[in-house]
Amino acid sequence: MSVLPDPGASRAVLIGTSRYDHLEQLPAVSNNLTALAGILTGPLSLRMPAPHVTVVENPPDPATVMEPLRQAAAEATDTLLVYYAGHGLIDPHDALTLALPHTQPDRVETCLNYDWLRQILLDSHAERHIVLLDCCYSGLALGRMSAAPGLADQAAVEGTFLLAASAETRTALAPVGDTHTAFTGALLDTLRHGIPGGPPLLDLETVYRHLRLTLEARAHPVPQARNRNSGARVALGRNHADLSAAPVTAAAGAEPDRRLWPDPASIRTVTGFFTNLAAVREASGLTQQEVSRRSAGRISTGSVSRLVNRDTLPATWATTAAYLSACGVPDDQIRQWHSTWQELRQNAATTQTATSAAPHGDTTEPGKARRFSVFWRGRGH
């Protein structure tokens, strides 16, 4: 069964190199980073809080990448997404390295060794990992980029879905004049517009198959993927191609398609609670006004908007229950939502009690662990 990550318990680190001292320039990578960050934090994908998406652009050295990666890996308990766009190189030992602005092809110490990144994933607290590699696996030839079979296997991590762009030429990787590289451009289009006739959730297996067909039809190199422990079932968003085509019926006793509804059992944080509440209305195909009307006066249009845009849990359950019922969520799932609400409230109360009981000398700050997870970009010179 496909599942959307809880955005409050997930993190993303987007790494990209667009400017090089010794390799061909890839200006589209900068656009990739901006667009992908916007997608991940917006309603078309995971709705992650902006501080949970870290952008590292043109990092001057490997340490500039490793610190944000370590921070995100320590914070993520649901899903950790890592994206790299730029030149990929193969070192003399046939290991994958990721090029940085000052990388020299014959000096491995100027690259970011993928094994370092891989070790962070292995040590991560996250249950699931998504690795998106939009890079070539080139040697020293700047005009042609060869794909090496087996590197996707080498890059895989248990509990991970790895999606790699197998680009063969510079033109195929970043077509001249295009805003985005070929692979990331197709990925962004998929998340923005969905897949007609596809499933309600765009899980990684579905996205991978769609990208293969799309890029092959454009005569671009097709991506390769590796899955470990059902990582393919993790979704990057809802399928917006078909959302508006299936509004909840108002007929009494009608059974909606349950696959459309967010799973309350996957919610771990308050952020995830409200993100999924908003997704419920999207899945229903109803406007805020229609939800209010279907509630028989129990909630106003303004209450619908305020409910899904809160940042603290409601003290009472009635309004949330009325909202879910008006959207058409089945009764058994509403009971699951209620259980999740109760659990989150209890966790919040326990945390507050523990904080109040901490000695005055305790310098732990709730926001300190997120200091590297700001929307940040380091630029090489």
Side-chain angles (χ1 to χ4, degrees):
M1 179 179 178
S2 300
V3 60
L4 277 169
D6 184 321
S10 300
R11 299 293 187 273
V13 181
L14 313 182
I15 309 157
T17 306
S18 59
R19 301 198 309 271
Y20 294 90
D21 295 340
H22 307 284
L23 298 169
E24 289 182 272
Q25 308 305 306
L26 296 173
V29 167
S30 182
N31 298 328
N32 288 359
L33 296 173
T34 301
L36 186 56
I39 286 283
L40 292 174
T41 57
L44 297 180
S45 184
L46 301 182
R47 300 175 183 263
M48 297 178 70
H52 292 189
V53 178
T54 303
V55 174
V56 187
E57 182 173 357
N58 292 322
D61 51 57
T64 310
V65 178
M66 299 298 284
E67 286 304 316
L69 278 173
R70 287 194 181 96
Q71 187 73 16
E75 293 177 350
T77 55
D78 187 313
T79 299
L80 174 62
L81 184 152
V82 178
Y83 167 90
Y84 170 81
H87 287 293
L89 305 175
I90 304 171
D91 74 7
H93 303 288
D94 290 331
L96 172 64
T97 62
L98 309 178
L100 304 180
H102 308 310
T103 289
Q104 298 182 48
D106 57 345
R107 296 189 179 182
V108 295
E109 69 273 15
T110 62
C111 302
L112 173 64
N113 192 314
Y114 181 84
D115 278 343
W116 301 344
L117 185 155
R118 184 174 182 271
Q119 187 59 51
I120 289 180
L121 296 181
L122 289 170
D123 296 338
S124 168
H125 296 167
E127 285 188 12
R128 296 177 286 258
H129 309 89
I130 301 171
V131 180
L132 307 176
L133 296 178
D134 189 353
C135 62
C136 50
Y137 305 117
S138 70
L140 302 179
L142 299 181
R144 292 194 58 80
M145 302 178 181
S146 62
L151 281 180
D153 285 316
Q154 172 199 112
V157 178
E158 287 300 320
T160 296
F161 190 90
L162 169 70
L163 186 55
S166 181
E168 295 176 354
T169 68
R170 181 182 63 81
T171 300
L173 177 65
V176 176
D178 281 12
T179 303
H180 303 291
T181 59
F183 171 80
T184 298
L187 173 64
L188 292 169
D189 285 343
T190 302
L191 296 178
R192 286 170 177 150
H193 306 297
I195 302 174
L201 294 180
L202 295 179
D203 61 73
L204 287 161
E205 179 66 25
T206 299
V207 170
Y208 162 62
R209 294 184 181 279
H210 180 71
L211 291 179
R212 280 188 63 89
L213 292 174
T214 300
L215 292 169
E216 189 173 26
R218 296 173 182 173
H220 290 155
V222 295
Q224 52 184 323
R226 294 295 182 271
N227 176 41
R228 295 289 188 273
N229 294 338
S230 301
R233 299 276 68 85
V234 181
L236 290 178
R238 304 186 69 79
N239 186 1
H240 297 277
D242 293 330
L243 277 180
S244 60
V248 168
T249 177
E255 180 68 15
D257 186 348
R258 297 191 179 206
R259 293 175 300 169
L260 294 175
W261 305 113
D263 179 13
S266 68
I267 297 172
R268 307 178 183 186
T269 65
V270 173
T271 298
F273 186 85
F274 290 112
T275 297
N276 281 279
L277 270 188
V280 164
R281 186 182 64 78
E282 292 183 2
S284 74
L286 300 170
T287 65
Q288 292 184 0
Q289 292 79 4
E290 289 170 331
V291 171
S292 175
R293 177 176 53 80
R294 286 167 57 89
S295 75
R298 288 177 292 174
I299 47 176
S300 66
T301 301
S303 295
V304 172
S305 177
R306 288 191 294 273
L307 176 64
V308 299
N309 288 293
R310 293 174 60 103
D311 54 13
T312 58
L313 290 170
T316 59
W317 172 245
T319 300
T320 306
Y323 166 83
L324 292 169
S325 178
C327 286
V329 176
D331 290 342
D332 61 334
Q333 290 196 23
I334 293 177
R335 288 191 289 271
Q336 293 174 11
W337 274 94
H338 187 219
S339 296
T340 297
W341 171 78
Q342 289 178 313
E343 183 176 349
L344 289 173
R345 280 182 55 82
Q346 183 173 350
N347 290 344
T350 301
T351 301
Q352 184 175 7
T353 300
T355 301
S356 300
H360 293 296
D362 187 348
T363 58
T364 301
E365 300 175 20
K368 195 167 185 179
R370 293 205 301 263
R371 61 186 175 189
F372 290 114
S373 293
V374 296
F375 198 80
W376 171 92
R377 56 182 71 199
R379 296 187 181 273
H381 299 284

